[in-house]
Amino acid sequence: MGRGSNPVEAHRRAERKKALKKNKTKRIRERDAKVALTRTTAEVTEEIEALESKQRAHNGHLDNTDTRSLERLRKELKICQTADAERAAKAEEDRLAALEDEAVRKTQYAASEESVRDANEAKFGPTAKLSVYYDAVMNPYGAAPPGRPM
């Protein structure tokens, strides 16, 4: 009996292969996301320079582990650079949005302050100074406190 004679077993092996491939890509994506969040460009560059100096010391040859780690660090450097660029763009965007929000808030406040002043002047008018509750600083319109008659 050959390896491919049982279709159920072949299907199970194919599903297992797909799952392994999916898990591998998921792990790589998660590692890249973690690198983008935690590592800085300076750290990665420093590690790359250390490995490259080691490579120069060994006449351009590295062992297999160092070669793989150098390749991975170069990928991490690209990831860090794009993450830094995205962070800078987002920071600039947030700064501009904050400035815009502040300008809108100031105009809304000015508009609301003017409308309140106009409404109070219309309601209390020239009799504001005759009110018992009048105070030039604290209550310039002579409005009664809540629950008190005018």
Side-chain angles (χ1 to χ4, degrees), residues 22 24 32 37 44-45 69 79 84 87 103 116 131 135 140:
K22 179 181 172 188
K24 182 179 179 182
D32 291 348
L37 291 174
V44 177
T45 306
S69 63
I79 291 168
D84 288 346
R87 277 191 221 111
V116 167
S131 173
D135 182 70

Side-chain angles (χ1 to χ4, degrees), residues 35-40 79-80 82-92:
V35 164
L37 291 174
T38 58
R39 304 281 305 258
T40 64
I79 291 168
C80 288
T82 56
D84 288 346
E86 288 173 2
R87 277 191 221 111
K90 177 137 177 54
E92 181 65 20

Side-chain angles (χ1 to χ4, degrees), residues 9-130:
E9 189 66 24
H11 178 71
R12 188 190 62 76
R13 275 196 299 275
E15 289 296 317
R16 175 94 172 115
K17 249 185 187 179
K18 275 200 290 188
L20 288 174
K21 185 176 180 181
K22 179 181 172 188
N23 289 339
K24 182 179 179 182
T25 57
K26 181 181 173 188
R27 281 195 318 270
I28 290 172
R29 247 193 336 266
E30 288 173 354
R31 185 182 336 137
D32 291 348
K34 184 178 179 183
V35 164
L37 291 174
T38 58
R39 304 281 305 258
T40 64
T41 306
E43 292 173 346
V44 177
T45 306
E46 187 178 307
E47 290 182 32
I48 288 174
E49 288 173 357
L51 280 175
E52 286 176 345
S53 68
K54 184 177 179 181
Q55 186 178 20
R56 283 190 298 274
H58 292 290
N59 297 326
H61 298 290
L62 286 174
D63 61 346
N64 201 14
T65 307
D66 288 340
T67 304
R68 274 195 245 121
S69 63
L70 184 60
E71 289 172 5
R72 180 65 198 162
L73 285 170
R74 287 183 177 145
K75 289 179 186 176
E76 286 182 8
L77 181 63
K78 289 179 185 175
I79 291 168
C80 288
Q81 288 170 340
T82 56
D84 288 346
E86 288 173 2
R87 277 191 221 111
K90 177 137 177 54
E92 181 65 20
E93 190 177 295
D94 290 347
R95 186 184 70 81
L96 292 175
L99 288 174
E100 185 178 310
D101 288 346
E102 185 178 336
V104 167
R105 238 183 285 119
K106 282 182 179 178
T107 57
Q108 287 176 343
Y109 177 74
S112 65
E113 187 178 348
E114 289 172 6
S115 64
V116 167
R117 188 179 304 122
D118 292 343
N120 282 334
E121 286 175 1
K123 184 174 180 182
F124 301 108
T127 61
K129 291 186 178 181
L130 301 177

